[in-house]
Amino acid sequence: MAMPTQQSPLFRISLGPLLYYWPRATVLQFYASVADSPVDRVHLGEAVCTRRHELRHADWLEIAQMLREAGKQVVLSTPVLVESDSDIAVMRRVCGQDDYLVEANDLGAVRCMGGRPFVGGPHLNVYQGDTLAWLASLGAVGCTVPVEMDGRTMAALAAARPAGLDLEALVWGRMPLAFSARCFTARHHRLRKDACEFRCLDYPDGLVADTGEGQAFFTLNGIQTQSATCLDLCAEVSRMAEAGVGLMRVSAHSTGTFEAIAHLDGIRHGMPAAPSPVMPADAAPSNGYWTGKPGIRWIESEEATA
């Protein structure tokens, strides 16, 4: 008598790289909790600013080994904005190792991989199937779609992807929007970038900037600009998975991260798809990009399907 086979989950849960600057002890405790979570893939490494040095490359490798032993797939992420010798050194160190898959966050990292397998990060700005095919010819085995992609375009991209290439999408967390050679957190404190006093440590979820009318608009995170709102596409993950998006990414925040992961895990095991019950650091939810509206907006499901 044949034994019943276990049904594959609707999608896998991915945890993006830590984009903020946290004390070493906080980072270690966070990833110890990740090891016990239902996350399937974990991205590690410094993707924003190579001046951040609470953890070195060897420390990230130790965390990677711990997570691998816990059954997680580990991906090492390269810096997004590579502009200095130190940035290049970090990128080459990540790309040069063969123990873990690499998330290439710029084309320099793609070239540095030399045809070896990698996953494309969200900042490669992939919008068309031809671009996915080109990256696959260079070694890509997966790619994360840009945060501003609407649902129809995402479905079309999934349908056009090369066979065997995984698509990933950010579904919960503040959206990374832009990078600059200037450090906005240092500028806020009237400090130079190379003498920033590591003020990012004071903002575990970034520094929210308001408009003149008092509306939270951006989040400053060193050289990175993020949304002030929290992207929440948890209500859409079932249809995203049906369209061919296999990995749902959660961005690491000081609060709400594990609740969002548990919520997604419930959805993939039969719970009705619904918005996340929590947001990071009291951020308002947003999902406007999904429907082709301004990204800062929150579109109720009834309006989205109208």
Side-chain angles (χ1 to χ4, degrees), residues 110 114-118 129-141 162 165:
V110 172
R116 290 177 292 129
F118 68 92
D130 288 347
T131 308
L132 274 182
W134 175 68
L135 287 173
S137 73
L138 298 176
V141 296
L165 188 143

PDB file of all heavy atoms in Angstrom, residues 110 114-118 129-141 162 165:
ATOM      1  N   VAL A 110      27.585  40.481 -10.189  1.00  0.00           N
ATOM      2  CA  VAL A 110      27.266  39.471 -11.206  1.00  0.00           C
ATOM      3  C   VAL A 110      28.531  39.092 -11.964  1.00  0.00           C
ATOM      4  O   VAL A 110      28.832  37.910 -12.184  1.00  0.00           O
ATOM      5  CB  VAL A 110      26.182  39.986 -12.174  1.00  0.00           C
ATOM      6  CG1 VAL A 110      25.990  39.016 -13.337  1.00  0.00           C
ATOM      7  CG2 VAL A 110      24.869  40.214 -11.440  1.00  0.00           C
ATOM      8  N   GLY A 114      31.507  35.292 -12.110  1.00  0.00           N
ATOM      9  CA  GLY A 114      32.183  34.574 -13.183  1.00  0.00           C
ATOM     10  C   GLY A 114      31.426  33.374 -13.727  1.00  0.00           C
ATOM     11  O   GLY A 114      32.031  32.363 -14.092  1.00  0.00           O
ATOM     12  N   GLY A 115      30.107  33.465 -13.773  1.00  0.00           N
ATOM     13  CA  GLY A 115      29.308  32.374 -14.314  1.00  0.00           C
ATOM     14  C   GLY A 115      28.846  31.356 -13.301  1.00  0.00           C
ATOM     15  O   GLY A 115      28.080  30.443 -13.639  1.00  0.00           O
ATOM     16  N   ARG A 116      29.301  31.473 -12.046  1.00  0.00           N
ATOM     17  CA  ARG A 116      28.833  30.559 -10.999  1.00  0.00           C
ATOM     18  C   ARG A 116      27.401  30.923 -10.592  1.00  0.00           C
ATOM     19  O   ARG A 116      26.976  32.061 -10.759  1.00  0.00           O
ATOM     20  CB  ARG A 116      29.766  30.617  -9.790  1.00  0.00           C
ATOM     21  CG  ARG A 116      31.136  30.000 -10.065  1.00  0.00           C
ATOM     22  CD  ARG A 116      32.062  30.145  -8.864  1.00  0.00           C
ATOM     23  NE  ARG A 116      32.424  31.539  -8.635  1.00  0.00           N
ATOM     24  CZ  ARG A 116      32.309  32.156  -7.471  1.00  0.00           C
ATOM     25  NH1 ARG A 116      31.805  31.517  -6.410  1.00  0.00           N
ATOM     26  NH2 ARG A 116      32.679  33.405  -7.341  1.00  0.00           N
ATOM     27  N   PRO A 117      26.639  29.984 -10.028  1.00  0.00           N
ATOM     28  CA  PRO A 117      25.244  30.262  -9.674  1.00  0.00           C
ATOM     29  C   PRO A 117      25.114  31.397  -8.661  1.00  0.00           C
ATOM     30  O   PRO A 117      25.903  31.513  -7.716  1.00  0.00           O
ATOM     31  CB  PRO A 117      24.763  28.932  -9.080  1.00  0.00           C
ATOM     32  CG  PRO A 117      25.664  27.904  -9.670  1.00  0.00           C
ATOM     33  CD  PRO A 117      27.006  28.566  -9.805  1.00  0.00           C
ATOM     34  N   PHE A 118      24.119  32.253  -8.859  1.00  0.00           N
ATOM     35  CA  PHE A 118      23.812  33.347  -7.945  1.00  0.00           C
ATOM     36  C   PHE A 118      22.328  33.658  -8.060  1.00  0.00           C
ATOM     37  O   PHE A 118      21.642  33.183  -8.971  1.00  0.00           O
ATOM     38  CB  PHE A 118      24.650  34.597  -8.267  1.00  0.00           C
ATOM     39  CG  PHE A 118      24.293  35.246  -9.583  1.00  0.00           C
ATOM     40  CD1 PHE A 118      23.339  36.266  -9.652  1.00  0.00           C
ATOM     41  CD2 PHE A 118      24.910  34.837 -10.758  1.00  0.00           C
ATOM     42  CE1 PHE A 118      23.004  36.849 -10.867  1.00  0.00           C
ATOM     43  CE2 PHE A 118      24.578  35.416 -11.980  1.00  0.00           C
ATOM     44  CZ  PHE A 118      23.628  36.428 -12.038  1.00  0.00           C
ATOM     45  N   GLY A 129      11.134  39.515 -19.183  1.00  0.00           N
ATOM     46  CA  GLY A 129      11.619  38.159 -19.324  1.00  0.00           C
ATOM     47  C   GLY A 129      12.963  38.074 -20.013  1.00  0.00           C
ATOM     48  O   GLY A 129      13.781  37.202 -19.678  1.00  0.00           O
ATOM     49  N   ASP A 130      13.217  38.974 -20.980  1.00  0.00           N
ATOM     50  CA  ASP A 130      14.506  38.958 -21.675  1.00  0.00           C
ATOM     51  C   ASP A 130      15.656  39.237 -20.709  1.00  0.00           C
ATOM     52  O   ASP A 130      16.741  38.665 -20.841  1.00  0.00           O
ATOM     53  CB  ASP A 130      14.512  39.987 -22.804  1.00  0.00           C
ATOM     54  CG  ASP A 130      13.646  39.565 -23.979  1.00  0.00           C
ATOM     55  OD1 ASP A 130      13.248  38.387 -24.029  1.00  0.00           O
ATOM     56  OD2 ASP A 130      13.362  40.421 -24.840  1.00  0.00           O
ATOM     57  N   THR A 131      15.408  40.126 -19.736  1.00  0.00           N
ATOM     58  CA  THR A 131      16.450  40.419 -18.748  1.00  0.00           C
ATOM     59  C   THR A 131      16.695  39.212 -17.857  1.00  0.00           C
ATOM     60  O   THR A 131      17.843  38.890 -17.532  1.00  0.00           O
ATOM     61  CB  THR A 131      16.046  41.634 -17.892  1.00  0.00           C
ATOM     62  OG1 THR A 131      15.682  42.717 -18.738  1.00  0.00           O
ATOM     63  CG2 THR A 131      17.204  42.065 -16.994  1.00  0.00           C
ATOM     64  N   LEU A 132      15.621  38.536 -17.470  1.00  0.00           N
ATOM     65  CA  LEU A 132      15.780  37.317 -16.679  1.00  0.00           C
ATOM     66  C   LEU A 132      16.577  36.267 -17.443  1.00  0.00           C
ATOM     67  O   LEU A 132      17.450  35.600 -16.890  1.00  0.00           O
ATOM     68  CB  LEU A 132      14.412  36.748 -16.307  1.00  0.00           C
ATOM     69  CG  LEU A 132      13.723  37.274 -15.049  1.00  0.00           C
ATOM     70  CD1 LEU A 132      12.408  36.548 -14.845  1.00  0.00           C
ATOM     71  CD2 LEU A 132      14.617  37.128 -13.829  1.00  0.00           C
ATOM     72  N   ALA A 133      16.270  36.118 -18.753  1.00  0.00           N
ATOM     73  CA  ALA A 133      16.989  35.136 -19.572  1.00  0.00           C
ATOM     74  C   ALA A 133      18.463  35.493 -19.667  1.00  0.00           C
ATOM     75  O   ALA A 133      19.339  34.604 -19.630  1.00  0.00           O
ATOM     76  CB  ALA A 133      16.358  35.063 -20.959  1.00  0.00           C
ATOM     77  N   TRP A 134      18.763  36.788 -19.807  1.00  0.00           N
ATOM     78  CA  TRP A 134      20.163  37.230 -19.875  1.00  0.00           C
ATOM     79  C   TRP A 134      20.888  36.926 -18.567  1.00  0.00           C
ATOM     80  O   TRP A 134      22.011  36.402 -18.586  1.00  0.00           O
ATOM     81  CB  TRP A 134      20.208  38.718 -20.185  1.00  0.00           C
ATOM     82  CG  TRP A 134      21.583  39.298 -20.157  1.00  0.00           C
ATOM     83  CD1 TRP A 134      22.613  39.052 -21.020  1.00  0.00           C
ATOM     84  CD2 TRP A 134      22.092  40.235 -19.192  1.00  0.00           C
ATOM     85  NE1 TRP A 134      23.724  39.773 -20.659  1.00  0.00           N
ATOM     86  CE2 TRP A 134      23.439  40.510 -19.546  1.00  0.00           C
ATOM     87  CE3 TRP A 134      21.541  40.874 -18.093  1.00  0.00           C
ATOM     88  CZ2 TRP A 134      24.229  41.398 -18.823  1.00  0.00           C
ATOM     89  CZ3 TRP A 134      22.331  41.756 -17.365  1.00  0.00           C
ATOM     90  CH2 TRP A 134      23.661  42.002 -17.731  1.00  0.00           C
ATOM     91  N   LEU A 135      20.235  37.215 -17.430  1.00  0.00           N
ATOM     92  CA  LEU A 135      20.861  36.915 -16.146  1.00  0.00           C
ATOM     93  C   LEU A 135      21.047  35.412 -15.966  1.00  0.00           C
ATOM     94  O   LEU A 135      22.067  34.963 -15.427  1.00  0.00           O
ATOM     95  CB  LEU A 135      20.019  37.490 -15.008  1.00  0.00           C
ATOM     96  CG  LEU A 135      20.050  39.013 -14.841  1.00  0.00           C
ATOM     97  CD1 LEU A 135      19.046  39.454 -13.782  1.00  0.00           C
ATOM     98  CD2 LEU A 135      21.452  39.495 -14.468  1.00  0.00           C
ATOM     99  N   ALA A 136      20.068  34.643 -16.418  1.00  0.00           N
ATOM    100  CA  ALA A 136      20.202  33.183 -16.327  1.00  0.00           C
ATOM    101  C   ALA A 136      21.394  32.690 -17.133  1.00  0.00           C
ATOM    102  O   ALA A 136      22.094  31.756 -16.723  1.00  0.00           O
ATOM    103  CB  ALA A 136      18.915  32.515 -16.808  1.00  0.00           C
ATOM    104  N   SER A 137      21.666  33.336 -18.280  1.00  0.00           N
ATOM    105  CA  SER A 137      22.821  32.936 -19.093  1.00  0.00           C
ATOM    106  C   SER A 137      24.133  33.249 -18.392  1.00  0.00           C
ATOM    107  O   SER A 137      25.168  32.666 -18.722  1.00  0.00           O
ATOM    108  CB  SER A 137      22.769  33.651 -20.452  1.00  0.00           C
ATOM    109  OG  SER A 137      23.088  35.035 -20.332  1.00  0.00           O
ATOM    110  N   LEU A 138      24.085  34.160 -17.402  1.00  0.00           N
ATOM    111  CA  LEU A 138      25.281  34.525 -16.641  1.00  0.00           C
ATOM    112  C   LEU A 138      25.403  33.720 -15.347  1.00  0.00           C
ATOM    113  O   LEU A 138      26.381  33.903 -14.612  1.00  0.00           O
ATOM    114  CB  LEU A 138      25.257  36.024 -16.319  1.00  0.00           C
ATOM    115  CG  LEU A 138      25.261  36.976 -17.523  1.00  0.00           C
ATOM    116  CD1 LEU A 138      25.130  38.422 -17.049  1.00  0.00           C
ATOM    117  CD2 LEU A 138      26.530  36.810 -18.350  1.00  0.00           C
ATOM    118  N   GLY A 139      24.398  32.881 -15.071  1.00  0.00           N
ATOM    119  CA  GLY A 139      24.469  32.025 -13.892  1.00  0.00           C
ATOM    120  C   GLY A 139      23.343  32.196 -12.894  1.00  0.00           C
ATOM    121  O   GLY A 139      23.299  31.478 -11.887  1.00  0.00           O
ATOM    122  N   ALA A 140      22.418  33.117 -13.139  1.00  0.00           N
ATOM    123  CA  ALA A 140      21.344  33.356 -12.171  1.00  0.00           C
ATOM    124  C   ALA A 140      20.433  32.142 -12.053  1.00  0.00           C
ATOM    125  O   ALA A 140      20.005  31.574 -13.060  1.00  0.00           O
ATOM    126  CB  ALA A 140      20.524  34.580 -12.568  1.00  0.00           C
ATOM    127  N   VAL A 141      20.135  31.758 -10.825  1.00  0.00           N
ATOM    128  CA  VAL A 141      19.184  30.681 -10.559  1.00  0.00           C
ATOM    129  C   VAL A 141      17.931  31.217  -9.869  1.00  0.00           C
ATOM    130  O   VAL A 141      17.007  30.459  -9.569  1.00  0.00           O
ATOM    131  CB  VAL A 141      19.825  29.574  -9.700  1.00  0.00           C
ATOM    132  CG1 VAL A 141      20.964  28.905 -10.447  1.00  0.00           C
ATOM    133  CG2 VAL A 141      20.316  30.135  -8.359  1.00  0.00           C
ATOM    134  N   PRO A 162      12.840  31.882 -17.279  1.00  0.00           N
ATOM    135  CA  PRO A 162      13.431  30.630 -17.765  1.00  0.00           C
ATOM    136  C   PRO A 162      13.098  29.470 -16.834  1.00  0.00           C
ATOM    137  O   PRO A 162      12.898  29.658 -15.623  1.00  0.00           O
ATOM    138  CB  PRO A 162      14.939  30.926 -17.764  1.00  0.00           C
ATOM    139  CG  PRO A 162      15.037  32.414 -17.798  1.00  0.00           C
ATOM    140  CD  PRO A 162      13.854  32.923 -17.043  1.00  0.00           C
ATOM    141  N   LEU A 165      14.241  28.846 -12.852  1.00  0.00           N
ATOM    142  CA  LEU A 165      14.651  30.078 -12.181  1.00  0.00           C
ATOM    143  C   LEU A 165      13.565  30.499 -11.195  1.00  0.00           C
ATOM    144  O   LEU A 165      12.397  30.636 -11.572  1.00  0.00           O
ATOM    145  CB  LEU A 165      14.914  31.187 -13.201  1.00  0.00           C
ATOM    146  CG  LEU A 165      15.537  32.476 -12.651  1.00  0.00           C
ATOM    147  CD1 LEU A 165      16.547  33.060 -13.652  1.00  0.00           C
ATOM    148  CD2 LEU A 165      14.472  33.529 -12.347  1.00  0.00           C
TER     149      LEU A 165
END
